[in-house]
Amino acid sequence: MDENESFLRTSVTEISSSLIVAIADEMSDEDLSAFASVITTQSNQLHIKGVILNFSMVQMLDTFSMRMLHDVSKALQLMGVKVVWVGLKPGVVISLIDLGIDFDTVTIQTALNLEQGLELLAQESSL
Amino acid sequence: MSERPGFPTESRTIVISKDTDGGYVISIARMLARKAGFNENDEFLIAAAASELATNIYRYASAGEVAIRIIRDSGNSRAGIELLASDSGPGIENVDLAMQDKYTTKKGSLGSGLPSVKRIMDEFTIYSQIGIGVKIAARKWRQHGQS
Amino acid sequence: MDNRIDNPVMRQEISTDLKLQLLDQIPTPVMAVNRDFEIIYMNQVGAELLGKNRGELIGKHCYNQFHTPHCNNDRCCMRKAMTTGEMVSSRNKIPLSDGDKHIMYYAVPLKDEGGNIVGGLEYIVDISEQVSYEERLQEQSRQMSTPTIKLWDGVLVLPVIGVVDSLRAQLMMESMLNKIVETSAKVILLDIQGVAAVDTAIANHLIKITKATRLMGCECILSGISPAVAQTIIQLGIDMVDSITTKSTLSDGLAEAFRILNMKVQKIT
Ligand SMILES: Nc1ncnc2c1ncn2[C@@H]1O[C@H](COP(=O)(O)OP(=O)(O)OP(=O)(O)O)[C@@H](O)[C@H]1O
Ligand SMILES: [Mg+2]
């Protein structure tokens, strides 16, 4: 499968050296690994300072996807990119907690919605 | 029966068969601990211990009971609280493991229940038989000078 | 002034017959058994409860009459009373044709002149009303128990009062998360000043709640930690301190919330 084809399921927007990634609902394992490699290379090529993962379309997240997205975020963090997760729905959060996922809130920041996420990135870069 | 417990407030047996019975155990434990003269810190500690025992019965044995009573030592000089938990559940596979901190067979639990009961109480005995059930007796004595 | 009537009860000696008559008058079931749990006495109310004649009950095993979850096993208070020599009481349920009857029963050992335990006496108190009251109260308190309140722009507070069981913890979590979305809150104060107890399960729930709110971009501050609760948490061996912002009072918590929001409360001079 062409890497970009499966990656089409998520949309990426670039604004002022930040990437806003809208995570699609129910991404397959292939989608996820394609997403992981694309997002890290793009961040590198475009000299990205911050990445926002927008979960507002996600109704359900399994442990595998969570782990994948968590790992990508940590990799980005290592590359000096700020990562903010936004728009997690209460239902998704509750199921993640029930699954016993340990989320690293020290390296990955969270915000309620896209607006607050952007604010957070702006704050970080002005510091 | 020279030291017959005052009736019926000095000793209570709570049958555990549903989630909310733990709450009942907490209230009774606090009430009896207060009556026995424990201070607020100990009252909370005893309630926590009693609640751990009740939670385990509900979780792992589905039914059983927790008895809580005020006790006096043989010289009648100290008062204390005794917790007796008994169930006819599956029993504990490996008691030594179960008594270790962070050991749990329930996903997402802390595994600190039984070791905490042992830490909180002054005396602790556990008796388990596979297929028969678990019996736990634990006592905490009032410190001298505690009014 | 001596106008005492000749009341047999006032006499020092009460005949065994009269004692039994007295037991018959007690408006609650009373039963006596021998060491083999064979019924040797049952009062009228007791027989009525079972829907049997008193006569036909004598000599029968009590456990074959009552069929409660305690019957003929180690949970039986009568058995305990006969082994310990003490009064033993417990809640129990008697299965009847029109459903379970909630009871409290009290068992005392019967001794002969030599002090040997020869049987036991038991009486039963109907506590159905108390139980249904407790259940109603529990249900009500559960419904009232999850009020997440907006305290300030961006600040929510959830006071936790009484007993936290897992269902209530779940409701608390849902209530908090939904309110965070609704109000765009950045800080939530979980105030446990009024909590009845903290055990590992409750501590675990509190930790999970703080993790959940963080996933939504909302900082959770645990306030109202009394010395007793603090000590209990230490004894439980739970390291909350590292992962959760904790404060001893709600007002300290609120001050911390304002700090997070870069706000300052000042006296107007
Ligand atoms: N009454 C019981 N019957 C059968 N197994 C039990 C009983 N009590 C405890 N266990 C076993 O012992 C283990 C340890 O119990 P403990 O109370 O220490 O931790 P936990 O219940 O798993 O977690 P926590 O109490 O921290 O929520 C349990 O996971 C369970 O496997
Ligand atoms: Mg436990």
Side-chain angles (χ1 to χ4, degrees):
Chain A
M1 203 197 319
D2 182 57
E3 219 174 47
N4 284 318
E5 199 181 302
S6 69
F7 189 54
L8 284 179
R9 285 173 50 80
T10 57
S11 92
V12 184
T13 321
E14 188 200 343
I15 41 164
S16 52
S17 50
S18 293
L19 289 183
I20 299 170
V21 186
I23 308 289
D25 195 21
E26 292 180 40
M27 281 169 87
S28 70
D29 297 357
E30 290 81 33
D31 289 344
L32 278 163
S33 47
F35 162 76
S37 65
V38 170
I39 207 76
T40 41
T41 30
Q42 271 201 8
S43 299
N44 192 18
Q45 281 164 3
L46 302 170
H47 303 288
I48 292 301
K49 297 270 186 306
V51 169
I52 291 182
L53 300 188
N54 186 357
F55 288 85
S56 60
M57 269 150 36
V58 176
Q59 303 294 337
M60 232 179 73
L61 206 55
D62 57 31
T63 17
F64 181 79
S65 317
M66 177 71 182
R67 181 102 347 257
M68 283 289 283
L69 293 165
H70 203 258
D71 288 349
V72 181
S73 303
K74 284 192 139 175
L76 287 168
Q77 198 76 31
L78 277 175
M79 295 162 55
V81 179
K82 283 268 163 282
V83 184
V84 185
W85 288 28
V86 307
L88 281 165
K89 288 197 190 315
V92 175
V93 169
I94 289 170
S95 68
L96 288 178
I97 296 291
D98 282 346
L99 290 168
I101 306 277
D102 254 321
F103 187 83
D104 181 2
T105 39
V106 182
T107 47
I108 303 164
Q109 307 233 35
T110 50
L112 188 60
N113 48 39
L114 194 55
E115 192 190 336
Q116 291 191 0
L118 284 166
E119 243 170 63
L120 209 67
L121 276 188
Q123 260 173 35
E124 294 276 339
S125 54
S126 70
L127 285 177
Chain B
M1 281 191 288
S2 54
E3 51 146 65
R4 177 167 166 178
F7 164 75
T9 49
E10 313 286 329
S11 152
R12 292 288 182 91
T13 303
I14 302 106
V15 176
I16 311 292
S17 61
K18 51 187 192 304
D19 180 22
T20 47
D21 290 332
Y24 192 51
V25 168
I26 288 173
S27 326
I28 301 285
R30 285 191 57 173
M31 186 263 289
L32 289 178
R34 198 162 40 228
K35 262 198 175 168
F38 283 99
N39 64 24
E40 199 191 335
N41 278 11
D42 286 339
E43 190 183 314
F44 263 80
L45 287 167
I46 291 163
S51 174
E52 295 299 344
L53 298 176
T55 306
N56 281 357
I57 290 174
Y58 172 72
R59 267 191 200 159
Y60 309 112
S62 68
E65 60 184 43
V66 174
I68 307 170
R69 58 182 200 137
I70 299 176
I71 46 170
R72 304 209 140 259
D73 70 359
S74 46
N76 208 22
S77 61
R78 284 193 304 179
I81 282 281
E82 181 177 69
L83 307 174
L84 295 168
S86 60
D87 64 62
S88 29
I92 300 176
E93 196 89 15
N94 184 334
V95 175
D96 289 341
L97 264 183
M99 289 309 299
Q100 277 174 23
D101 261 310
K102 298 205 166 70
Y103 173 82
T104 181
T105 54
K106 185 176 183 285
K107 202 171 163 291
S109 273
L110 297 170
S112 311
L114 291 177
S116 298
V117 178
K118 192 171 178 188
R119 272 193 293 272
I120 290 169
M121 308 297 284
D122 298 321
E123 295 166 31
F124 181 92
T125 9
I126 178 164
Y127 177 73
S128 163
Q129 224 179 333
I130 301 294
I132 307 269
V134 178
K135 286 194 186 349
I136 292 170
R139 291 174 162 182
K140 189 174 179 67
W141 297 103
R142 236 176 69 192
Q143 238 69 56
H144 280 292
Q146 201 176 97
S147 60
Chain C
M1 200 166 54
D2 194 325
N3 52 4
R4 256 185 296 173
I5 50 164
D6 185 29
N7 186 337
V9 181
M10 292 287 193
R11 284 192 212 131
Q12 294 235 308
E13 296 275 329
I14 302 178
S15 71
T16 313
D17 249 17
L18 183 59
K19 280 182 191 164
L20 285 180
Q21 267 181 47
L22 285 173
L23 284 178
D24 279 340
Q25 299 306 312
I26 296 178
T28 192
V30 180
M31 169 184 83
V33 297
N34 62 18
R35 288 221 68 141
D36 297 325
F37 297 93
E38 287 161 354
I39 299 170
I40 51 175
Y41 169 79
M42 178 75 75
N43 74 350
Q44 188 54 37
V45 189
E48 277 166 20
L49 177 74
L50 293 169
K52 302 245 165 91
N53 283 328
R54 295 170 61 175
E56 63 175 310
L57 286 168
I58 302 299
K60 300 263 166 63
H61 286 117
C62 56
Y63 46 79
N64 286 332
Q65 302 303 319
F66 285 100
H67 304 289
T68 77
H70 289 194
C71 282
N72 209 15
N73 64 50
D74 277 352
R75 291 163 70 187
C76 170
C77 287
M78 184 69 94
R79 187 181 289 189
K80 289 181 195 165
M82 284 198 258
T83 33
T84 61
E86 285 183 28
M87 170 179 299
V88 184
S89 63
S90 173
R91 284 192 177 198
N92 200 356
K93 284 184 277 202
I94 304 179
L96 295 173
S97 52
D98 54 346
D100 285 354
K101 193 177 205 57
H102 290 274
I103 56 149
M104 182 84 190
Y105 72 112
Y106 303 89
V108 274
L110 290 173
K111 298 178 181 177
D112 63 13
E113 291 87 42
N116 307 306
I117 296 170
V118 291
L121 181 79
E122 169 175 321
Y123 73 89
I124 298 172
V125 180
D126 181 351
I127 55 162
S128 356
E129 244 168 65
Q130 189 189 339
V131 169
S132 81
Y133 175 72
E134 279 168 10
E135 279 167 1
R136 255 200 330 272
L137 206 64
Q138 233 160 24
E139 186 48 40
Q140 273 171 10
S141 69
R142 188 170 273 146
Q143 281 168 10
M144 298 189 308
S145 65
T146 53
T148 308
I149 304 152
K150 181 171 168 180
L151 195 63
W152 203 271
D153 233 9
V155 184
L156 298 175
V157 61
L158 176 67
V160 184
I161 293 157
V163 171
V164 181
D165 53 44
S166 54
L167 181 59
R168 190 171 161 205
Q170 226 170 301
L171 293 173
M172 270 164 51
M173 170 115 79
E174 278 167 30
S175 152
M176 282 172 83
L177 299 187
N178 289 327
K179 200 79 176 188
I180 289 170
V181 175
E182 200 180 297
T183 61
S184 300
K186 288 232 175 81
V187 186
I188 184 155
L189 297 158
L190 188 56
D191 189 74
I192 60 167
Q193 171 109 60
V195 80
V198 175
D199 59 13
T200 54
I202 296 167
N204 202 11
H205 286 311
L206 296 176
I207 293 172
K208 284 181 178 168
I209 286 174
T210 58
K211 280 186 181 162
T213 60
R214 266 195 206 151
L215 279 172
M216 310 223 17
C218 182
E219 187 62 33
C220 185
I221 299 168
L222 199 58
S223 72
I225 302 192
S226 66
V229 167
Q231 226 192 13
T232 308
I233 290 172
I234 301 296
Q235 288 295 309
L236 295 175
I238 297 164
D239 59 40
M240 273 190 171
V241 201
D242 291 348
S243 52
I244 305 176
T245 314
T246 53
K247 294 285 166 203
S248 67
T249 64
L250 182 58
S251 66
D252 284 351
L254 187 60
E256 176 66 14
F258 285 146
R259 203 194 55 74
I260 291 171
L261 293 170
N262 290 318
M263 288 202 252
K264 211 166 142 189
V265 182
Q266 252 183 344
K267 222 180 207 166
I268 305 168
T269 44

